[in-house]
Amino acid sequence: MIEGECAVPSPGELAEEVAAVLNGRRDPGVASFERVLNAVVSHSHSHRDRETLAAALGPVRRGLAVAPHPRVRQLAGIVGAAVGPVQASECWESAGAGWLELCQHVALDYVTGARVVEMGARLRAGDHIPFLLSVPSRASGAVEPHHLVARLAAYARLGVRPGPADLGQALLRCGGGPADPDVVSAAEKLELEEAPRVAGWLRQGGLPHPGWQREREAGAPQPHSRRRGARIGRRILVGHEAIEGRGAFPRRFWSLFRVFEPHIGCAHASLPDGRDAHTVAAVPWHPEIAAARLLTGVASAADQNGRGAPAFLTAPAAADVPAGPAVHLALAYGLASVPDEDRGAAVRALAQLGARGRLDGAMLGRDLAELVRLGTLKVPLLTESLRAAAALPGAAPALWPVLATALPGLLASTRPQAHAALLAVAADTARDAGAGGAIPEITALAQRPGSSQLLGQARRLRDQLATHTTPATPATHSHAAKVE
């Protein structure tokens, strides 16, 4: 690319990387997928004789086995467009013109799909692209504003027109606050018709933050049923208000900007294909937008024995912004998911958020208690995850506020006899965190007569808290409580 960014491998090295992704020998994570995608595009630009590129990539593509992962299918399509014959009749500007919005749950798939469709059309039309504007600068998927301006300046020098979808994706990946004034000034001076729009976007700090609202399903908790496809409990989801600025983006991006109403049902809501780190990387400064749209599918792994989304659950924890209500709800569903991989991913996400000071323990604790009360989460699975989290080195200080907030609601809403194991985890966590201060519900339970495991663990937790003066439910960190 430019200025030392993402060095493009040789054709032979590129063939090896493409083969590793296409044949499933390498997980198509954000960094590797974007690097390979950009390399294919860059080689298509530098090797205008397609026979050269086809000699390196053709055998890889012909040897492609079944590739169910959507990102793998996208890369396979781009490779085919890069090495196939030029179609002079192809008009890449009208690529995807027949698109029809079907569902807001997959709005981010529309965004990533628009870029791939546009890229493939340009390659088939022989419109060579030197590099992608939207290739990430960070592992999270974020693009540094000065990188985007430098790339656009190179496009201007080469006389290359920015693709609307590629530029749109690049702009969505810029954020984190207003860009440096010098970068904005450089954007204003670009010899491209997109210069004013890019400068304005960077000046405002990227995609605006919408207003959020938690929405609980109406009605009483659903009873257990053996009926195929039946689920238990009631869900809590998150919606957001409309976002300004959609008119400057391609039509396929517009779903992202509309009011998001999470309880509107659709066939896509529970599909796992789009629930991965790539979805978060489409809007890396807004993990809440990704989490809100994927909550229905994430919840299905907890209350419907649905297919999980472990690759998604850990991605928001790595974001460079605080976690809000949708991310915490996704974490809550993940901690009680039926698939082992999801619970493991949720535990890792909890630990990472805690280590970075971005876990709102009180928020997560309230979510867990409410979802258990609604019959959506199973206490034994939740206990298993919390025990695993408590066993991680240094995790106790972040985990204790979760347990301290959740326990009163859990004890009040479900059979206390089911919580002996959970109280044992809480006692160990309080000890390791050095937590103190009485929890009235625990004190009352510990004072009951009897010698059951439940009462024994309640007394152990009560006595542990009595040995310290640190409050049992510390105030929520202000930075963690902020909502996008």
Side-chain angles (χ1 to χ4, degrees), residues 20-414:
V21 175
L22 292 186
N23 293 310
R25 298 198 303 271
R26 178 183 302 164
D27 179 22
V30 172
S32 62
F33 175 78
E34 293 281 349
R35 184 180 63 251
V36 172
L37 202 64
N38 181 67
V40 172
V41 168
S42 298
H43 270 292
S44 177
H45 174 77
S46 58
H47 292 274
R48 292 181 180 271
D49 178 3
R50 293 202 170 200
E51 293 181 1
T52 303
L53 191 59
L57 296 182
V60 174
R61 184 167 175 263
R62 287 193 296 271
L64 175 63
V66 177
H69 195 286
R71 313 306 167 188
V72 174
R73 293 197 297 269
Q74 289 176 346
L75 178 58
I78 294 302
V79 169
V83 303
V86 172
Q87 300 176 16
S89 60
E90 179 102 19
C91 179
W92 69 266
E93 289 91 343
S94 61
W99 171 79
L100 175 66
E101 177 183 339
L102 297 176
C103 173
Q104 287 185 303
H105 286 96
V106 290
L108 292 172
D109 284 342
Y110 295 153
V111 170
T112 57
R115 183 182 63 148
V116 170
V117 168
E118 176 184 273
M119 195 186 314
R122 294 190 80 163
L123 292 173
R124 285 191 298 273
D127 188 37
H128 302 282
I129 316 168
F131 45 78
L132 294 176
L133 297 171
S134 55
V135 64
S137 306
R138 303 187 188 184
S140 65
V143 171
E144 297 290 352
H146 68 276
H147 283 169
L148 175 58
V149 174
R151 294 169 190 173
L152 286 168
Y155 265 46
R157 290 194 301 272
L158 295 169
V160 178
R161 179 185 170 189
D166 186 27
L167 177 58
Q169 173 64 99
L171 292 174
L172 291 179
R173 285 176 166 171
C174 289
D180 185 278
D182 291 339
V183 176
V184 176
S185 178
E188 292 174 332
K189 297 174 183 176
L190 289 169
E191 296 181 357
L192 293 168
E193 64 179 65
E194 293 85 0
R197 173 193 172 200
V198 172
W201 184 265
L202 298 181
R203 186 183 297 110
Q204 77 176 22
L207 187 70
H209 296 280
W212 296 95
Q213 60 274 344
R214 293 168 84 255
E215 300 183 11
R216 199 191 99 180
E217 275 186 320
Q222 297 179 201
H224 287 270
S225 172
R226 294 185 179 181
R227 178 175 54 83
R228 183 177 181 180
R231 64 180 176 87
I232 60 172
R234 292 290 176 183
R235 294 170 178 168
I236 303 172
L237 302 176
V238 175
H240 70 70
E241 299 173 354
I243 306 173
E244 295 183 359
R246 76 175 189 180
F249 287 83
R251 191 175 183 83
R252 289 185 66 150
F253 285 54
W254 287 9
S255 292
L256 177 65
F257 293 80
R258 301 186 194 280
V259 173
F260 176 56
E261 301 175 87
H263 286 297
I264 294 179
C266 75
H268 304 89
S270 60
L271 293 178
D273 280 357
R275 303 203 303 264
D276 57 19
H278 298 267
T279 310
V280 181
V283 282
W285 298 100
H286 294 262
E288 284 295 297
I289 288 179
R293 283 171 165 74
L294 302 181
L295 270 181
T296 299
V298 173
S300 71
D303 66 7
Q304 203 174 13
N305 295 350
R307 295 171 61 185
F312 161 71
L313 287 170
T314 54
D320 296 318
V321 292
V327 171
H328 279 82
L329 276 169
L331 186 57
Y333 288 120
L335 288 170
S337 290
V338 174
D340 294 342
E341 296 83 359
D342 282 55
R343 293 198 305 279
V347 168
R348 294 192 296 275
L350 187 156
Q352 186 172 5
L353 285 171
R356 302 177 72 195
R358 288 179 170 163
L359 177 70
D360 187 331
M363 181 187 292
L364 180 58
R366 289 192 297 270
D367 287 342
L368 292 174
E370 186 171 5
L371 287 170
V372 168
R373 180 173 61 83
L374 292 173
T376 308
L377 302 187
K378 302 179 181 71
V379 172
L381 292 175
L382 175 60
T383 301
E384 182 181 319
S385 294
L386 294 175
R387 182 186 296 111
L392 297 174
L399 182 59
W400 172 246
V402 178
L403 288 162
T405 304
L407 283 174
L410 292 175
L411 292 173
S413 62
T414 55

